[in-house]
Amino acid sequence: HRIICVALRRDELEAAFPDAGDAATLLPLDLSATDTILPTLATLPGELQTIDALVNCAGIGWATFVGAAIAGASALLSWVDTSFSSVNGFDVPAAFLVDYETGFDSGFSVGLVALVLAAAAMLAAVVRQPAMRQLGRVAGSGLVAVGVLFVVQLYRLADASDVSMSDLLGVAPFAAIVGGVTVLVAKGR
């Protein structure tokens, strides 16, 4: 029997099977693009066109999953951190992202937005389809935007209140940004 090793990109295959030689055929192929599978298999030599056994271990896009987990954790971390208290993402209204004068008791929260975006990115890491990769990019961009917009509005609030930004800023916006960038850079991997 011969082995056909399939992955999205040739460089991934060559890195995973550097000593494959004649024992295996390396075949770059996106199995989620079902219309390309049969035409690609038809390019193989005749003895390789019949599949005796199939082992699927596509798995999870771990880098995307880890980025999404970091961003999801930001909802529970401190977005505002003062010497006497801290505020997690569920205590900050989403409207604060566009207007720092928004009261802290209005609408849904920044934590909920971050959690929904992180869940979408995790879904993209697990469901390995082209549409899900697009969802991952949107979620990653949204997470970066949430973190950056929060920092900008907190800076405006601190400036208007004549308070140092370092006296207010918690770690959560950075976790959302780092998680979002990780999701974007990972591209579903």
Side-chain angles (χ1 to χ4, degrees):
H1 294 282
R2 294 278 317 258
I3 298 173
I4 302 172
C5 302
V6 177
L8 284 174
R9 297 189 333 259
R10 178 164 289 286
D11 62 322
E12 291 176 337
L13 288 164
E14 291 170 351
F17 304 101
D19 301 321
D22 291 335
T25 299
L26 306 181
L27 182 65
L29 176 63
D30 184 354
L31 294 174
S32 65
T34 55
D35 58 328
T36 64
I37 296 172
L38 291 177
T40 303
L41 290 177
T43 65
L44 295 171
E47 69 272 9
L48 295 179
Q49 290 184 14
T50 302
I51 298 173
D52 296 322
L54 177 65
V55 178
N56 181 0
C57 58
I60 293 176
W62 284 108
T64 300
F65 193 85
V66 168
I70 291 168
S74 75
L76 300 172
L77 296 173
S78 174
W79 286 75
V80 177
D81 195 5
T82 65
S83 58
F84 55 91
S85 71
S86 67
V87 175
N88 74 26
F90 293 106
D91 295 326
V92 179
F96 182 83
L97 299 174
V98 292
D99 181 11
Y100 73 90
E101 294 177 335
T102 298
F104 269 74
D105 60 348
S106 62
F108 56 94
S109 67
V110 168
L112 181 61
V113 172
L115 207 55
V116 166
L117 290 170
M122 283 187 174
L123 184 63
V126 174
V127 180
R128 308 292 295 243
Q129 298 291 327
M132 290 295 116
R133 282 189 224 121
Q134 183 64 28
L135 176 65
R137 286 190 285 275
V138 170
S141 299
L143 288 163
V144 171
V146 165
V148 169
L149 287 171
F150 181 85
V151 170
V152 167
Q153 292 302 326
L154 192 64
Y155 174 79
R156 291 180 65 212
L157 176 63
D159 189 50
S161 304
D162 200 29
V163 176
S164 171
M165 179 79 162
S166 63
D167 291 340
L168 297 175
L169 188 58
V171 69
F174 301 110
I177 293 168
V178 167
V181 167
T182 302
V183 167
L184 287 170
V185 171
K187 299 179 183 176
R189 291 182 290 234

Coordinates of all heavy atoms in Angstrom, one line a residue, residues 32-129:
S32 N -12.2 20.9 2.1 CA -13.4 21.6 2.3 C -14.0 22.1 1.0 O -15.1 22.4 0.8 CB -13.3 22.8 3.3 OG -12.4 23.8 2.8
A33 N -13.1 22.2 0.0 CA -13.6 22.6 -1.4 C -13.9 21.3 -2.1 O -13.1 20.8 -2.9 CB -12.5 23.4 -2.1
T34 N -15.0 20.7 -1.9 CA -15.4 19.4 -2.4 C -15.4 19.3 -3.9 O -15.2 18.2 -4.4 CB -16.8 19.0 -1.8 OG1 -17.7 20.0 -2.2 CG2 -16.7 18.8 -0.3
D35 N -15.6 20.4 -4.6 CA -15.6 20.3 -6.1 C -14.2 20.1 -6.7 O -14.1 19.8 -7.8 CB -16.2 21.5 -6.7 CG -15.5 22.8 -6.3 OD1 -15.0 22.9 -5.1 OD2 -15.5 23.8 -7.1
T36 N -13.1 20.2 -5.8 CA -11.8 20.0 -6.4 C -11.2 18.7 -6.0 O -10.1 18.3 -6.5 CB -10.8 21.1 -5.8 OG1 -10.7 21.0 -4.4 CG2 -11.3 22.5 -6.2
I37 N -11.8 17.9 -5.2 CA -11.3 16.6 -4.7 C -11.1 15.6 -5.8 O -10.0 15.1 -6.1 CB -12.1 16.0 -3.5 CG1 -12.1 17.0 -2.3 CG2 -11.6 14.7 -3.2 CD1 -13.0 16.6 -1.2
L38 N -12.2 15.3 -6.5 CA -12.1 14.3 -7.6 C -11.2 14.7 -8.7 O -10.3 13.9 -9.2 CB -13.5 14.0 -8.1 CG -14.4 13.2 -7.1 CD1 -15.8 12.9 -7.7 CD2 -13.7 11.9 -6.7
P39 N -11.2 16.0 -9.2 CA -10.3 16.4 -10.2 C -8.8 16.3 -9.8 O -7.9 15.9 -10.6 CB -10.7 17.8 -10.6 CG -12.1 17.9 -10.2 CD -12.3 17.0 -9.0
T40 N -8.6 16.6 -8.5 CA -7.2 16.5 -8.0 C -6.8 15.0 -7.9 O -5.6 14.7 -8.3 CB -7.1 17.2 -6.6 OG1 -7.5 18.5 -6.8 CG2 -5.6 17.1 -6.1
L41 N -7.6 14.2 -7.4 CA -7.3 12.7 -7.4 C -7.1 12.2 -8.8 O -6.2 11.3 -8.9 CB -8.4 11.9 -6.6 CG -8.5 12.2 -5.1 CD1 -9.7 11.4 -4.6 CD2 -7.2 11.8 -4.4
A42 N -7.7 12.7 -9.8 CA -7.6 12.2 -11.1 C -6.2 12.5 -11.7 O -5.7 11.8 -12.6 CB -8.6 12.8 -12.0
T43 N -5.5 13.4 -11.1 CA -4.1 13.8 -11.5 C -3.1 12.8 -11.0 O -1.9 12.8 -11.5 CB -3.7 15.2 -11.1 OG1 -3.6 15.2 -9.7 CG2 -4.7 16.2 -11.6
L44 N -3.5 11.9 -10.0 CA -2.5 10.9 -9.5 C -2.4 9.8 -10.4 O -3.3 9.5 -11.2 CB -3.1 10.5 -8.1 CG -3.2 11.5 -7.0 CD1 -3.9 11.0 -5.8 CD2 -1.8 12.0 -6.6
P45 N -1.3 9.0 -10.3 CA -1.1 7.8 -11.0 C -2.3 6.8 -10.7 O -2.8 6.8 -9.6 CB 0.2 7.2 -10.6 CG 0.9 8.4 -10.0 CD -0.1 9.3 -9.4
G46 N -2.6 6.0 -11.7 CA -3.8 5.1 -11.5 C -3.8 4.3 -10.3 O -4.9 4.1 -9.6
E47 N -2.6 3.7 -9.8 CA -2.6 2.9 -8.6 C -3.0 3.7 -7.4 O -3.3 3.1 -6.3 CB -1.3 2.1 -8.5 CG -0.1 3.0 -8.1 CD 0.6 3.6 -9.4 OE1 0.1 3.5 -10.5 OE2 1.7 4.2 -9.2
L48 N -2.9 5.0 -7.4 CA -3.2 5.8 -6.2 C -4.6 6.4 -6.2 O -5.0 7.0 -5.3 CB -2.2 7.0 -6.1 CG -0.7 6.6 -5.9 CD1 0.2 7.8 -5.8 CD2 -0.6 5.8 -4.6
Q49 N -5.3 6.1 -7.3 CA -6.7 6.7 -7.4 C -7.7 6.0 -6.6 O -8.8 6.5 -6.3 CB -7.1 6.9 -8.8 CG -6.3 7.9 -9.5 CD -6.7 8.1 -11.0 OE1 -7.8 7.7 -11.4 NE2 -5.9 8.8 -11.7
T50 N -7.4 4.7 -6.2 CA -8.4 3.9 -5.4 C -7.9 4.1 -3.9 O -6.8 3.8 -3.6 CB -8.3 2.5 -5.8 OG1 -8.7 2.4 -7.2 CG2 -9.3 1.6 -5.0
I51 N -8.8 4.5 -3.1 CA -8.5 4.6 -1.6 C -9.0 3.4 -0.9 O -10.2 3.1 -0.9 CB -9.2 5.9 -1.1 CG1 -8.6 7.1 -1.8 CG2 -8.9 6.0 0.4 CD1 -9.3 8.4 -1.5
D52 N -8.1 2.7 -0.2 CA -8.4 1.5 0.6 C -8.8 1.9 2.0 O -9.7 1.3 2.6 CB -7.2 0.6 0.7 CG -6.8 0.0 -0.7 OD1 -7.8 -0.2 -1.5 OD2 -5.6 -0.1 -1.0
A53 N -8.2 2.9 2.6 CA -8.5 3.3 3.9 C -8.3 4.9 4.0 O -7.4 5.4 3.3 CB -7.6 2.6 4.9
L54 N -9.1 5.5 4.8 CA -9.0 7.0 4.9 C -8.9 7.3 6.4 O -9.7 6.9 7.2 CB -10.2 7.6 4.3 CG -10.3 9.2 4.4 CD1 -9.2 9.8 3.6 CD2 -11.6 9.6 3.9
V55 N -7.9 8.1 6.8 CA -7.7 8.6 8.2 C -7.7 10.1 8.1 O -6.9 10.7 7.5 CB -6.3 8.1 8.8 CG1 -6.2 8.6 10.2 CG2 -6.3 6.6 8.7
N56 N -8.7 10.6 8.8 CA -8.9 12.1 8.8 C -8.4 12.6 10.1 O -9.0 12.3 11.2 CB -10.4 12.5 8.5 CG -10.6 14.0 8.5 OD1 -9.6 14.7 8.7 ND2 -11.8 14.4 8.3
C57 N -7.4 13.4 10.1 CA -7.0 14.0 11.4 C -6.7 15.5 11.2 O -5.7 16.1 11.6 CB -5.8 13.3 11.9 SG -4.4 13.3 10.8
A58 N -7.7 16.2 10.5 CA -7.5 17.6 10.2 C -7.5 18.4 11.5 O -6.7 19.3 11.6 CB -8.7 18.1 9.3
G59 N -8.3 18.0 12.5 CA -8.2 18.6 13.8 C -8.6 20.0 13.9 O -9.3 20.6 13.1
I60 N -8.1 20.7 15.0 CA -8.5 22.0 15.3 C -7.4 23.0 14.9 O -6.2 22.6 15.0 CB -8.7 22.1 16.9 CG1 -9.9 21.3 17.2 CG2 -8.8 23.5 17.3 CD1 -10.2 21.2 18.7
G61 N -7.8 24.2 14.5 CA -6.8 25.2 14.3 C -6.3 25.8 15.6 O -7.0 26.7 16.2
W62 N -5.3 25.1 16.2 CA -4.9 25.4 17.6 C -4.5 26.9 17.8 O -4.9 27.5 18.8 CB -3.8 24.5 18.0 CG -4.4 23.1 18.3 CD1 -4.2 22.0 17.6 CD2 -5.2 22.8 19.4 NE1 -4.9 21.0 18.2 CE2 -5.5 21.4 19.3 CE3 -5.8 23.5 20.5 CZ2 -6.4 20.8 20.2 CZ3 -6.6 22.8 21.4 CH2 -6.9 21.5 21.2
A63 N -3.8 27.5 16.9 CA -3.4 28.9 17.1 C -4.6 29.8 17.1 O -4.7 30.7 18.0 CB -2.4 29.3 16.0
T64 N -5.6 29.6 16.3 CA -6.8 30.3 16.3 C -7.6 30.1 17.6 O -8.1 31.0 18.2 CB -7.7 29.9 15.1 OG1 -7.0 30.2 13.9 CG2 -9.0 30.7 15.1
F65 N -7.6 28.8 18.0 CA -8.3 28.5 19.2 C -7.7 29.1 20.4 O -8.4 29.7 21.3 CB -8.3 26.9 19.4 CG -9.3 26.5 20.4 CD1 -10.6 26.2 20.1 CD2 -8.9 26.2 21.7 CE1 -11.5 25.8 21.1 CE2 -9.7 25.8 22.7 CZ -11.1 25.5 22.4
V66 N -6.4 29.1 20.5 CA -5.7 29.8 21.7 C -6.0 31.3 21.7 O -6.2 31.9 22.7 CB -4.2 29.4 21.6 CG1 -3.4 30.3 22.6 CG2 -4.0 28.0 22.0
G67 N -5.9 31.9 20.5 CA -6.1 33.3 20.4 C -7.6 33.7 20.8 O -7.8 34.6 21.6
A68 N -8.5 32.8 20.4 CA -9.9 33.0 20.8 C -10.1 32.9 22.3 O -10.8 33.6 22.9 CB -10.8 32.1 20.0
A69 N -9.4 31.9 22.9 CA -9.5 31.6 24.3 C -8.9 32.8 25.1 O -9.5 33.3 26.1 CB -8.7 30.4 24.7
I70 N -7.8 33.4 24.7 CA -7.2 34.6 25.3 C -8.2 35.7 25.3 O -8.5 36.4 26.3 CB -5.9 35.0 24.7 CG1 -4.8 33.9 25.0 CG2 -5.4 36.3 25.1 CD1 -3.6 34.1 24.1
A71 N -8.8 35.9 24.1 CA -9.8 37.0 23.9 C -11.0 36.8 24.7 O -11.6 37.7 25.3 CB -10.1 37.2 22.4
G72 N -11.5 35.5 24.8 CA -12.6 35.2 25.6 C -12.4 35.5 27.1 O -13.3 36.0 27.8
A73 N -11.2 35.2 27.5 CA -10.9 35.4 29.0 C -10.9 36.9 29.3 O -11.1 37.3 30.4 CB -9.5 34.8 29.3
S74 N -10.7 37.7 28.3 CA -10.6 39.2 28.5 C -12.0 39.7 29.1 O -12.0 40.6 29.8 CB -10.3 39.9 27.3 OG -11.4 40.0 26.4
A75 N -13.1 39.0 28.8 CA -14.4 39.4 29.3 C -14.4 39.3 30.8 O -15.1 40.1 31.5 CB -15.5 38.5 28.7
L76 N -13.6 38.4 31.4 CA -13.6 38.3 32.9 C -12.5 39.0 33.6 O -12.5 39.2 34.8 CB -13.5 36.8 33.2 CG -14.6 35.9 32.7 CD1 -14.3 34.4 32.9 CD2 -16.0 36.3 33.3
L77 N -11.5 39.5 32.8 CA -10.4 40.2 33.3 C -10.8 41.7 33.6 O -11.8 42.1 33.2 CB -9.2 40.1 32.4 CG -8.6 38.7 32.2 CD1 -7.6 38.7 31.1 CD2 -8.1 38.1 33.5
S78 N -9.8 42.4 34.2 CA -10.1 43.8 34.6 C -9.9 44.7 33.3 O -8.8 44.8 32.8 CB -9.1 44.1 35.7 OG -9.2 45.5 35.9
W79 N -11.0 45.4 33.0 CA -10.9 46.4 31.9 C -10.5 47.8 32.5 O -9.8 48.5 31.9 CB -12.2 46.5 31.2 CG -12.5 45.3 30.3 CD1 -12.8 44.1 30.6 CD2 -12.3 45.3 28.9 NE1 -12.9 43.2 29.5 CE2 -12.6 44.0 28.4 CE3 -11.9 46.2 27.9 CZ2 -12.5 43.6 27.1 CZ3 -11.9 45.8 26.6 CH2 -12.2 44.5 26.2
V80 N -11.0 48.0 33.7 CA -10.7 49.3 34.4 C -10.1 48.8 35.7 O -10.8 48.0 36.4 CB -11.9 50.2 34.6 CG1 -11.5 51.4 35.4 CG2 -12.5 50.6 33.3
D81 N -9.0 49.3 36.1 CA -8.3 48.8 37.3 C -7.8 50.0 38.1 O -6.9 50.7 37.6 CB -7.2 47.9 37.0 CG -6.7 47.1 38.2 OD1 -7.3 47.2 39.2 OD2 -5.7 46.3 38.0
T82 N -8.4 50.3 39.2 CA -7.9 51.4 40.0 C -7.4 50.8 41.3 O -7.5 49.6 41.6 CB -9.1 52.4 40.4 OG1 -10.1 51.7 41.2 CG2 -9.8 52.9 39.1
S83 N -6.8 51.7 42.1 CA -6.2 51.2 43.4 C -7.3 50.6 44.4 O -6.9 49.9 45.2 CB -5.4 52.3 44.1 OG -6.3 53.4 44.3
F84 N -8.5 51.0 44.2 CA -9.5 50.5 45.1 C -10.6 49.5 44.5 O -11.3 48.9 45.2 CB -10.3 51.7 45.8 CG -10.9 52.7 44.8 CD1 -12.2 52.5 44.3 CD2 -10.1 53.7 44.3 CE1 -12.7 53.4 43.4 CE2 -10.7 54.6 43.4 CZ -12.0 54.5 43.0
S85 N -10.6 49.4 43.2 CA -11.5 48.4 42.6 C -11.1 48.1 41.2 O -10.3 48.8 40.6 CB -13.0 48.9 42.6 OG -13.1 50.0 41.7
S86 N -11.7 47.1 40.6 CA -11.5 46.7 39.2 C -12.9 46.4 38.6 O -13.8 46.0 39.3 CB -10.6 45.6 39.0 OG -11.1 44.4 39.5
V87 N -13.0 46.6 37.3 CA -14.2 46.4 36.6 C -14.0 45.4 35.4 O -13.1 45.7 34.6 CB -14.7 47.8 36.0 CG1 -16.0 47.6 35.1 CG2 -15.0 48.8 37.1
N88 N -14.7 44.3 35.4 CA -14.6 43.4 34.3 C -15.4 43.8 33.1 O -16.2 44.8 33.2 CB -14.8 41.9 34.7 CG -16.3 41.6 35.0 OD1 -17.2 42.2 34.4 ND2 -16.5 40.6 35.8
G89 N -15.3 43.1 32.0 CA -16.0 43.5 30.8 C -17.5 43.5 30.9 O -18.2 44.2 30.1
F90 N -18.1 42.7 31.8 CA -19.5 42.6 31.9 C -20.1 43.8 32.6 O -21.3 44.0 32.6 CB -19.9 41.3 32.6 CG -19.6 40.1 31.7 CD1 -18.6 39.3 32.1 CD2 -20.4 39.8 30.6 CE1 -18.3 38.2 31.3 CE2 -20.1 38.7 29.8 CZ -19.0 37.9 30.1
D91 N -19.2 44.6 33.2 CA -19.6 45.8 33.9 C -19.4 47.1 33.0 O -19.8 48.2 33.5 CB -18.8 46.0 35.2 CG -19.1 44.9 36.2 OD1 -20.3 44.4 36.2 OD2 -18.2 44.5 36.9
V92 N -18.9 46.9 31.8 CA -18.7 48.1 30.9 C -19.7 48.0 29.8 O -19.7 47.0 29.1 CB -17.2 48.1 30.4 CG1 -17.0 49.2 29.4 CG2 -16.2 48.1 31.5
P93 N -20.5 49.0 29.6 CA -21.5 49.0 28.5 C -20.8 49.0 27.1 O -19.8 49.7 27.0 CB -22.4 50.2 28.7 CG -21.5 51.1 29.5 CD -20.6 50.3 30.4
A94 N -21.3 48.3 26.2 CA -20.7 48.3 24.8 C -20.7 49.8 24.2 O -19.8 50.1 23.4 CB -21.4 47.4 23.9
A95 N -21.7 50.6 24.6 CA -21.8 51.9 24.1 C -20.5 52.8 24.5 O -20.2 53.7 23.8 CB -23.0 52.6 24.6
F96 N -19.8 52.3 25.5 CA -18.6 53.0 25.9 C -17.5 53.0 24.8 O -16.7 53.9 24.7 CB -18.0 52.4 27.2 CG -16.8 53.1 27.7 CD1 -16.9 54.2 28.5 CD2 -15.5 52.6 27.5 CE1 -15.7 54.8 29.0 CE2 -14.4 53.2 27.9 CZ -14.5 54.3 28.7
L97 N -17.6 52.0 24.0 CA -16.6 51.9 22.9 C -16.7 53.1 21.9 O -15.7 53.3 21.2 CB -16.8 50.6 22.2 CG -16.6 49.3 23.0 CD1 -16.9 48.1 22.2 CD2 -15.2 49.2 23.6
V98 N -17.8 53.7 21.8 CA -18.0 54.9 20.9 C -18.2 56.2 21.6 O -18.0 57.3 21.0 CB -19.1 54.6 19.9 CG1 -18.7 53.5 18.9 CG2 -20.4 54.3 20.6
D99 N -18.5 56.1 22.9 CA -18.8 57.4 23.7 C -18.4 57.2 25.1 O -19.2 56.5 25.9 CB -20.2 57.8 23.5 CG -20.6 59.1 24.2 OD1 -19.6 59.8 24.7 OD2 -21.8 59.4 24.4
Y100 N -17.3 57.8 25.6 CA -16.9 57.6 27.0 C -17.9 58.2 28.0 O -17.8 57.8 29.2 CB -15.5 58.1 27.2 CG -15.4 59.6 27.2 CD1 -15.5 60.3 28.4 CD2 -15.2 60.4 26.1 CE1 -15.4 61.7 28.5 CE2 -15.1 61.7 26.1 CZ -15.2 62.4 27.3 OH -15.1 63.8 27.4
E101 N -18.8 59.0 27.6 CA -19.7 59.6 28.5 C -20.9 58.8 28.8 O -21.8 59.1 29.6 CB -20.2 61.0 28.0 CG -19.0 62.0 28.0 CD -19.4 63.3 27.4 OE1 -20.3 63.4 26.6 OE2 -18.7 64.3 27.8
T102 N -21.0 57.6 28.2 CA -22.1 56.6 28.4 C -22.1 56.2 29.8 O -21.0 55.9 30.4 CB -21.9 55.4 27.5 OG1 -21.9 55.9 26.1 CG2 -23.0 54.4 27.7
G103 N -23.2 56.1 30.4 CA -23.4 55.6 31.8 C -23.0 54.1 31.9 O -23.1 53.4 30.9
F104 N -22.6 53.7 33.0 CA -22.2 52.3 33.2 C -23.3 51.4 33.5 O -23.1 50.3 33.9 CB -21.1 52.2 34.4 CG -19.7 52.4 33.9 CD1 -19.2 53.6 33.5 CD2 -18.9 51.3 33.8 CE1 -18.0 53.8 33.0 CE2 -17.6 51.4 33.3 CZ -17.1 52.7 32.9
D105 N -24.5 51.8 33.2 CA -25.7 50.9 33.4 C -26.6 50.8 32.2 O -27.7 50.4 32.3 CB -26.5 51.4 34.6 CG -27.1 52.8 34.4 OD1 -26.6 53.5 33.4 OD2 -27.9 53.2 35.2
S106 N -26.0 51.0 31.0 CA -26.8 51.0 29.8 C -26.4 49.9 28.9 O -25.3 49.7 28.6 CB -26.8 52.4 29.1 OG -25.4 52.6 28.7
G107 N -27.4 49.2 28.3 CA -27.2 48.3 27.2 C -26.4 47.0 27.6 O -26.1 46.7 28.7
F108 N -26.0 46.3 26.5 CA -25.2 45.1 26.7 C -23.8 45.5 26.9 O -23.4 46.6 26.6 CB -25.5 44.1 25.6 CG -25.2 44.6 24.2 CD1 -24.0 44.4 23.6 CD2 -26.2 45.2 23.5 CE1 -23.7 44.9 22.3 CE2 -25.9 45.7 22.2 CZ -24.7 45.5 21.6
S109 N -23.0 44.5 27.3 CA -21.6 44.9 27.8 C -20.5 44.6 26.8 O -20.7 43.8 25.9 CB -21.4 44.1 29.1 OG -21.3 42.7 28.8
V110 N -19.4 45.2 27.1 CA -18.1 45.0 26.3 C -17.7 43.5 26.5 O -17.3 42.8 25.5 CB -17.0 45.9 26.8 CG1 -15.7 45.5 26.2 CG2 -17.3 47.3 26.4
G111 N -17.9 43.0 27.7 CA -17.6 41.6 28.0 C -18.4 40.6 27.1 O -17.9 39.6 26.6
L112 N -19.7 40.9 26.9 CA -20.6 40.1 26.1 C -20.1 40.2 24.6 O -20.0 39.1 23.9 CB -22.0 40.5 26.2 CG -23.0 39.7 25.4 CD1 -23.0 38.2 25.8 CD2 -24.4 40.3 25.5
V113 N -19.8 41.4 24.2 CA -19.3 41.5 22.8 C -18.0 40.7 22.6 O -17.8 39.9 21.6 CB -19.0 43.0 22.4 CG1 -18.3 43.1 21.1 CG2 -20.3 43.8 22.5
A114 N -17.0 40.8 23.5 CA -15.8 40.1 23.4 C -16.0 38.6 23.5 O -15.4 37.8 22.7 CB -14.8 40.5 24.6
L115 N -16.9 38.1 24.3 CA -17.2 36.7 24.5 C -17.9 36.2 23.2 O -17.5 35.1 22.7 CB -18.2 36.5 25.6 CG -18.1 35.1 26.3 CD1 -16.7 34.8 26.8 CD2 -19.1 35.1 27.5
V116 N -18.8 36.9 22.6 CA -19.5 36.4 21.3 C -18.4 36.4 20.2 O -18.4 35.4 19.4 CB -20.6 37.4 21.0 CG1 -21.1 37.1 19.5 CG2 -21.8 37.2 21.9
L117 N -17.6 37.4 20.1 CA -16.5 37.4 19.0 C -15.5 36.2 19.3 O -15.1 35.6 18.3 CB -15.8 38.7 19.0 CG -16.6 39.9 18.5 CD1 -15.9 41.2 18.7 CD2 -17.0 39.7 17.0
A118 N -15.2 36.0 20.5 CA -14.3 34.9 20.8 C -14.9 33.5 20.5 O -14.2 32.7 20.0 CB -13.8 34.9 22.3
A119 N -16.2 33.4 20.8 CA -16.9 32.2 20.5 C -16.9 31.9 18.9 O -16.8 30.8 18.5 CB -18.3 32.2 21.0
A120 N -17.1 33.0 18.2 CA -17.1 32.9 16.7 C -15.7 32.5 16.2 O -15.6 31.7 15.3 CB -17.5 34.3 16.1
A121 N -14.7 33.0 16.8 CA -13.3 32.6 16.4 C -13.1 31.2 16.8 O -12.4 30.5 16.0 CB -12.3 33.6 17.1
M122 N -13.6 30.7 17.9 CA -13.4 29.3 18.3 C -14.1 28.4 17.4 O -13.6 27.3 17.0 CB -13.9 29.1 19.7 CG -12.9 29.5 20.8 SD -13.5 29.0 22.4 CE -12.1 29.5 23.4
L123 N -15.3 28.8 16.9 CA -16.1 28.1 15.9 C -15.2 28.0 14.6 O -15.2 26.9 14.0 CB -17.4 28.7 15.7 CG -18.4 28.0 14.7 CD1 -18.8 26.7 15.3 CD2 -19.6 28.9 14.5
A124 N -14.6 29.0 14.3 CA -13.8 29.0 13.1 C -12.6 28.1 13.2 O -12.1 27.5 12.2 CB -13.3 30.4 12.7
A125 N -12.1 27.9 14.4 CA -11.0 27.0 14.7 C -11.4 25.6 14.6 O -10.6 24.7 14.2 CB -10.3 27.3 16.1
V126 N -12.6 25.3 14.9 CA -13.1 23.9 15.0 C -13.7 23.5 13.7 O -13.5 22.3 13.2 CB -14.1 23.7 16.2 CG1 -14.7 22.4 16.2 CG2 -13.3 24.0 17.5
V127 N -14.5 24.3 13.1 CA -15.2 24.0 11.8 C -14.3 24.5 10.7 O -14.2 25.7 10.4 CB -16.6 24.6 11.7 CG1 -17.3 24.2 10.4 CG2 -17.4 24.2 12.9
R128 N -13.6 23.6 10.0 CA -12.6 23.9 9.1 C -13.2 24.1 7.7 O -12.9 23.3 6.8 CB -11.5 22.9 9.1 CG -10.9 22.5 10.5 CD -10.1 23.7 11.0 NE -9.0 23.9 10.2 CZ -7.7 23.8 10.5 NH1 -7.4 23.5 11.7 NH2 -6.8 24.0 9.7
Q129 N -13.9 25.2 7.5 CA -14.5 25.5 6.2 C -14.1 26.9 5.8 O -13.9 27.7 6.6 CB -16.1 25.4 6.3 CG -16.6 24.0 6.7 CD -16.4 23.0 5.5 OE1 -16.4 23.3 4.4 NE2 -16.2 21.8 5.9

